[in-house]
Amino acid sequence: MLVYSVRRLLLAIPVLLGISVITFILMNVVPGDPVLNMLGKRADPVVVEKVRAQLGLNDPLYVQFFRFVANAARGDLGESYRFRQPVTRLILTSFPVTVKVSISAMLVAIAIGLTVGIVSAVKQYSVIDHGSMILALSGISAPIFWVALVAQYVFGLRLGILPISGYATWKEMVLPALVLGSRFAASIARLTRSSLLEVIRQDYVRTARAKGLAERVVIFKHALKNALIPVITVVGLQIGGLLTGSILTETIFGIPGLGRLAVTALNNRDFPLLQGTVLFTAFVYIMSNLAVDLSYAYVDPRIRLR
Amino acid sequence: MRIRHPLLAVVVLSLAVVLVAVGCARKVQEPAREPVILHDWFTDDPGTLDVQQDTTLAVYGLARELFNTLVRYKGETLELEPELLESMPTISADGKVYTFKLKQGILCHDGKTELTSKDVKFTFERMLDPNGKGLSTWLYEPILGAKDMVEGKAAELKGFKIINDYEFEITLEKPYAPFLHNLAVPSASIYPAELCKAAGEEWGRKPVGTGPFKLKEYTPSTSIVLEKNPYYFEKGLPYLDGIEYRIVPDEATGLMEFEKGTFDVTSIPTNEFERITKSGQYTILESTPLNTYYFVFNMKEKPYTDVRVRKAIAMAIDKQKIIDSILGGRATVAKAFVTPGIPGAYPAGQGPAYDYNPAEAKKILEEAGLKKIKAVTWQRGGTQVADTNIAIQAMLKEIGIDLEVQIIDRAAFGEARAQGKVPANYGNWWADIPDPDNYLYTYFHPSQSRYMSTNYDNPRVTALLDEARITTDPARRAQLYQEAEKIIVGDDAAIVPLFHKKDYLAVQKNVKGIIMHPTGVNSYKMVQKEPAPK
């Protein structure tokens, strides 16, 4: 397992390099001068030229790229043009906020998704099953900004029981977690239901029932553990997605996470910040995928990593 | 005094104990006053509070609370008055030498550092330092030696002479009439030299000024909290104990927070204007800021190289219709490029701009033998074509001009404009200072016109603009600028002034005293907030 983990980590290096190259090329192909964007329309041409030289933007592209890679290898992702702060500091400030939101959303999603999925599978074709699957379908289909707006209006403005925006207190976290989590809850519910239905028709489950075990024990002790493998895969991948920042949710609720940081960087042609956030996002994604792969072996001993 | 009678002594003692007890009890019972905080919001984190490095209205507004300028606007007028100065500066007969005298005893937020002439010199030189990142070098460019500093040829500002701690003299390269207005722009806020140097790179996040409020806490992308400056030199001000600005990127969310009462003040999104203003729940403040929305041509791009095409376009646009149908009447028709109200501008309702006359426009094109004209205009950003561009497109179609609107990313647009490559565009200008120079020189003087993509170069206009800059007589300046504008907007039809947009704020009814200045910079120094009704 250790060898496998190390190998996967080493494989991440060429992937990150590749992503750096693509991001770097894209940023330089997209029109828009970062210095003019930073200095504004009244900037003195002499000042523009000086700032460009200070930032090293007059150097050939390959020089700029290798400088970036060399600095990144030392953990220095440069300084943000807009915030005039080290990119690493900005990322490390916004990432914990994203983690907080993601974990809250995922806990909501798992709690609702698993419960609904299990109940639907056990009560297949019942009113509960049909009702929850319709709700799940709506959860997947409804645009997140619309769900957020409705939730803010109803719970925040009309009923006044929850804050409309913010992230600092647990009360402020409820709406973002519910809104972001509802979409994932829907897909977890559908997946849990189908996976559990498949498992409970298998022979070993029938044997368990034949032994006279209680239905509760059959479902929770025998069927659910195996039914959860595909669910874990999906949850793992979704956590990877969530940890890289949910742009819409963070924007609507005013949460200063990684997604919002990336959008600010893009809008302001803040190249170092954009490159830093993309690279960090890729790294988090690779790490979360690795964690999912490793967790298979733990959940299902039949799977052995070589 | 000695009390001889023991009974009397007991009575006096008891009385004293009772009085002390009552006094203490009163002190304990007196409820602590809740701090009065004004709650406002921004859609974007300014990134820095260093107003030399950011020229957005948000940072300008913050600078008015944190710092002071040498001169300022009187209330909501365009009249200047001293702020850090004892009195308005004296100006030499040739209009080149300005002598200033600072008020004495102005303390910074730390309560110890006193503001002196050295700080003013430091502030000017910091902006002009070629190794710094001062954005508004134009403010001080008329000063002797400023250009040399910007270009790195001088380490000191030659035209700035310190007389003593409170007096200093500024010499201009040549007379420049609007100079004092430059000093009222928030970017010209005065920084305390030693504190600024000590803060180094952190200055943008931990500024120390002399303004009515001081920075309490700046949480990036979340909030900026200010508190009352107890050492503020204008006694009795500010009335508020503090201001909290929250950063909420989504407009709909911000408006909902305002409706819930979390925020005290908000701008009003266009699509919510009717509902908010007619609800009767809020105070609606209206101002007519110094702006002009226009359709401008690049004189080097076809078909706009032909003055007949430009004139026809100017006559084909029904400005009133755009105002009524798109802006809900919240603007006035522009008859000139320079906003009325600015000294030297045409009075409201007068000016050289063409009236709506599509028949005449068609006639001009027919007489010129111009048919099936294809033209391109750029739109600065957005995901869909703006309503005004759609309206202009439809109006030009009526006279046989096929206008294509191309949406160009904001950053790319900015880059192309600075290179003189934008073919035409519907845009706007919000004045930095209330002076025609700020409009006409910026867009139509050949030394600047390339950067605004007009590429305009008319020697007669250039001579008028140059002369107006150095003329100090207000009547003569007005005459020069009006003549220049008559050529630019009338004869050459280089720009089509469309309308002047009004500005609105919705404010909770318990909040009073917000100053909405025509420059677009609002101030909360005079704000009073009563407890909200339960």
Side-chain angles (χ1 to χ4, degrees):
Chain A
M1 180 101 89
L2 183 70
V3 177
Y4 175 80
S5 309
V6 172
R7 207 173 61 202
R8 284 286 299 269
L9 279 174
L10 288 176
L11 270 174
I13 295 171
V15 175
L16 289 174
L17 260 176
I19 287 167
S20 305
V21 174
I22 294 168
T23 321
F24 194 82
I25 291 171
L26 282 177
M27 277 193 309
N28 282 284
V29 165
V30 173
D33 183 340
V35 178
L36 274 178
N37 206 53
M38 180 167 65
L39 300 186
K41 61 192 173 202
R42 296 288 300 259
D44 189 305
V46 179
V47 178
V48 171
E49 219 24 68
K50 296 231 171 195
V51 173
R52 208 190 297 279
Q54 278 172 12
L55 298 174
L57 293 172
N58 287 336
D59 297 334
L61 281 185
Y62 71 91
V63 174
Q64 292 183 41
F65 178 70
F66 285 115
R67 188 168 50 221
F68 169 76
V69 172
N71 288 338
R74 289 198 300 268
D76 175 9
L77 293 170
E79 189 180 286
S80 155
Y81 294 163
R82 179 174 170 77
F83 295 98
R84 278 94 172 175
Q85 285 188 53
V87 168
T88 324
R89 190 201 290 176
L90 290 167
I91 290 175
L92 292 180
T93 312
S94 53
F95 186 57
V97 178
T98 296
V99 171
K100 189 173 155 187
V101 178
S102 312
I103 290 177
S104 317
M106 201 36 91
L107 287 178
V108 168
I110 292 171
I112 299 174
L114 277 185
T115 313
V116 172
I118 294 168
V119 172
S120 294
V122 175
K123 307 274 179 197
Q124 198 188 5
Y125 303 131
S126 68
V127 180
I128 299 173
D129 181 26
H130 290 306
S132 37
M133 281 309 111
I134 288 170
L135 264 179
L137 202 64
S138 319
I140 293 170
S141 320
I144 208 155
F145 66 85
W146 182 82
V147 177
L149 211 65
V150 171
Q152 284 175 317
Y153 183 77
V154 175
F155 299 107
L157 188 60
R158 285 286 148 245
L159 300 176
I161 50 175
L162 288 168
I164 292 170
S165 62
Y167 71 101
T169 63
W170 72 265
K171 261 191 152 184
E172 286 170 339
M173 284 300 297
V174 175
L175 279 186
L178 271 176
V179 168
L180 195 57
S182 64
R183 165 163 296 224
F184 297 115
S187 51
I188 291 172
R190 285 174 62 84
L191 199 66
T192 308
R193 178 183 179 273
S194 59
S195 179
L196 196 58
L197 282 175
E198 198 182 312
V199 171
I200 53 181
R201 287 184 191 122
Q202 286 185 14
D203 289 346
Y204 76 93
V205 175
R206 195 176 300 128
T207 310
R209 281 200 179 113
K211 282 198 300 184
L213 289 176
E215 188 62 13
R216 180 172 46 85
V217 179
V218 172
I219 296 294
F220 286 99
K221 205 169 173 190
H222 294 266
L224 196 59
K225 203 171 173 188
N226 285 329
L228 279 185
I229 292 174
V231 179
I232 288 173
T233 313
V234 170
V235 169
L237 292 175
Q238 283 174 347
I239 283 183
L242 278 174
L243 286 179
T244 53
S246 169
I247 292 166
L248 274 176
T249 312
E250 289 181 358
T251 303
I252 293 170
F253 290 99
I255 299 166
L258 208 58
R260 222 176 100 193
L261 193 68
V263 173
T264 309
L266 185 66
N267 287 342
N268 293 287
R269 292 293 186 278
D270 191 340
F271 287 177
L273 185 56
L274 189 58
Q275 201 146 20
T277 45
V278 170
L279 209 60
F280 185 76
T281 301
F283 179 73
V284 170
Y285 222 94
I286 291 168
M287 287 300 108
S288 58
N289 280 3
L290 176 62
V292 172
D293 287 354
L294 295 179
S295 68
Y296 286 158
Y298 176 75
V299 178
D300 186 352
R302 290 172 301 179
I303 301 169
R304 283 283 170 259
L305 303 168
R306 278 186 232 166
Chain B
M1 185 181 79
R2 286 183 65 195
I3 299 168
R4 295 192 179 183
H5 202 290
L7 189 64
L8 190 62
V10 170
V11 170
V12 168
L13 196 66
S14 311
L15 206 63
V17 169
V18 169
L19 283 173
V20 168
V22 168
C24 287
R26 269 199 189 148
K27 209 170 186 179
V28 170
Q29 279 167 7
E30 194 173 278
R33 189 176 70 88
E34 278 284 310
V36 183
I37 308 293
L38 185 85
H39 299 274
D40 192 359
W41 65 288
F42 299 138
T43 49
D44 206 3
D45 183 349
T48 178
L49 302 180
D50 181 353
V51 72
Q52 290 196 348
Q53 294 194 2
D54 195 305
T55 57
T56 55
L57 275 179
V59 176
Y60 271 15
L62 282 161
R64 289 303 298 145
E65 315 301 352
L66 291 167
F67 305 104
N68 293 106
T69 43
L70 295 173
V71 290
R72 68 177 173 206
Y73 293 106
K74 204 173 186 174
E76 293 180 351
T77 71
L78 296 177
E79 191 188 333
L80 290 176
E81 65 177 11
E83 183 159 86
L84 289 171
L85 298 179
E86 191 69 55
S87 56
M88 289 303 278
T90 55
I91 307 168
S92 64
D94 65 358
K96 282 166 74 173
V97 183
Y98 289 64
T99 310
F100 297 80
K101 191 174 181 189
L102 286 172
K103 282 185 180 119
Q104 292 190 22
I106 294 178
L107 290 180
C108 295
H109 296 153
D110 64 352
K112 290 179 279 193
T113 314
E114 190 190 355
L115 206 76
T116 66
S117 305
K118 277 183 198 162
D119 299 309
V120 182
K121 185 167 187 271
F122 164 79
T123 303
F124 283 32
E125 290 180 344
R126 185 179 185 268
M127 179 76 89
L128 298 169
D129 180 359
N131 298 315
K133 287 169 189 162
L135 299 189
S136 306
T137 49
W138 65 274
L139 293 173
Y140 307 127
E141 252 164 26
I143 302 173
L144 184 68
K147 280 222 162 78
D148 284 346
M149 269 205 84
V150 170
E151 287 167 12
K153 293 177 192 161
E156 266 197 283
L157 185 56
K158 197 177 170 188
F160 196 108
K161 194 174 113 193
I162 293 176
I163 300 169
N164 57 42
D165 274 357
Y166 305 104
E167 286 176 275
F168 57 93
E169 199 178 271
I170 291 174
T171 307
L172 304 186
E173 204 170 296
K174 51 188 175 186
Y176 175 63
F179 181 60
L180 285 180
H181 285 290
N182 287 15
L183 304 183
V185 175
S187 307
S189 296
I190 305 301
Y191 292 170
E194 295 311 318
L195 298 174
C196 181
K197 280 189 235 169
E201 288 291 309
E202 287 296 299
W203 180 252
R205 287 176 291 282
K206 292 173 183 168
V208 183
T210 52
F213 294 93
K214 62 177 182 172
L215 182 69
K216 186 180 176 192
E217 199 178 11
Y218 178 10
T219 315
S221 301
T222 306
S223 65
I224 297 166
V225 185
L226 310 186
E227 63 183 353
K228 185 178 188 159
N229 170 15
Y231 310 104
Y232 190 54
F233 64 91
E234 290 185 287
K235 294 297 164 213
L237 290 175
Y239 298 123
L240 292 168
D241 293 312
I243 309 171
E244 185 184 355
Y245 301 89
R246 277 259 312 275
I247 294 152
V248 181
D250 184 54
E251 264 197 351
T253 305
L255 188 66
M256 262 193 254
E257 291 278 26
F258 171 76
E259 289 184 73
K260 196 183 175 186
T262 318
F263 298 146
D264 293 308
V265 56
T266 185
S267 55
I268 313 169
T270 311
N271 55 347
E272 296 284 5
F273 189 81
E274 290 283 315
R275 187 174 69 79
I276 296 294
T277 50
K278 288 187 176 162
S279 70
Q281 284 178 278
Y282 316 107
T283 306
I284 306 297
L285 303 179
E286 180 188 307
S287 88
T288 310
L290 305 178
N291 68 50
T292 303
Y293 285 68
Y294 57 71
F295 191 82
V296 73
F297 308 108
N298 187 332
M299 307 293 278
K300 285 187 177 167
E301 291 281 336
K302 281 185 178 173
Y304 310 118
T305 43
D306 191 329
V307 69
R308 294 166 300 183
V309 173
R310 300 198 299 268
K311 278 187 184 169
I313 291 175
M315 289 177 196
I317 299 174
D318 188 346
K319 302 168 188 179
Q320 191 61 54
K321 198 170 184 179
I322 292 175
I323 293 170
D324 294 339
S325 57
I326 298 171
L327 300 170
R330 297 186 291 278
T332 52
V333 167
K335 291 289 289 172
F337 180 38
V338 182
T339 316
I342 288 180
Y346 281 96
Q350 292 177 39
Y354 292 98
D355 288 328
Y356 174 57
N357 190 346
E360 182 64 21
K362 269 186 202 167
K363 202 172 138 197
I364 291 174
L365 294 179
E366 273 167 22
E367 281 174 6
L370 297 166
K371 283 176 191 166
K372 289 187 180 171
I373 302 167
K374 285 195 181 297
V376 173
T377 183
W378 283 14
Q379 178 177 304
R380 184 170 171 263
T383 49
Q384 52 193 19
V385 177
D387 290 346
T388 307
N389 269 330
I390 293 173
I392 292 172
Q393 197 175 39
M395 288 166 187
L396 297 198
K397 190 98 188 158
E398 296 281 309
I399 61 161
I401 296 178
D402 185 10
L403 182 74
E404 185 192 342
V405 182
Q406 293 178 358
I407 300 174
I408 309 292
D409 169 81
R410 279 170 177 268
F413 184 98
E415 188 181 5
R417 182 163 68 175
Q419 294 168 348
K421 289 180 182 166
V422 174
N425 81 290
Y426 156 62
N428 59 74
W429 180 251
W430 287 65
D432 303 293
I433 56 169
D435 195 282
D437 179 82
N438 192 243
Y439 292 70
L440 301 178
Y441 200 90
T442 310
Y443 278 75
F444 300 109
H445 192 277
S447 66
Q448 305 291 315
S449 64
R450 189 179 83 113
Y451 305 121
M452 299 312 278
S453 274
T454 63
N455 285 309
Y456 184 83
D457 187 0
N458 180 331
R460 173 69 192 139
V461 170
T462 308
L464 287 167
L465 296 180
D466 283 337
E467 190 189 338
R469 269 202 151 191
I470 59 169
T471 303
T472 47
D473 173 29
R476 176 70 185 142
R477 291 189 84 227
Q479 198 184 6
L480 292 167
Y481 281 127
Q482 290 183 11
E483 192 185 335
E485 211 175 346
K486 191 175 165 299
I487 300 170
I488 297 164
V489 178
D491 304 348
D492 288 345
I495 190 167
V496 186
L498 298 174
F499 49 82
H500 309 291
K501 214 171 177 178
K502 291 179 186 170
D503 205 5
Y504 295 88
L505 280 183
V507 181
Q508 303 291 355
K509 286 209 160 155
N510 58 331
V511 174
K512 289 179 177 68
I514 293 177
I515 295 174
M516 277 183 90
H517 195 265
T519 52
V521 184
N522 301 335
S523 163
Y524 295 149
K525 187 176 68 179
M526 310 289 283
V527 167
Q528 288 179 300
K529 184 179 166 185
E530 290 158 13
K534 301 248 170 175

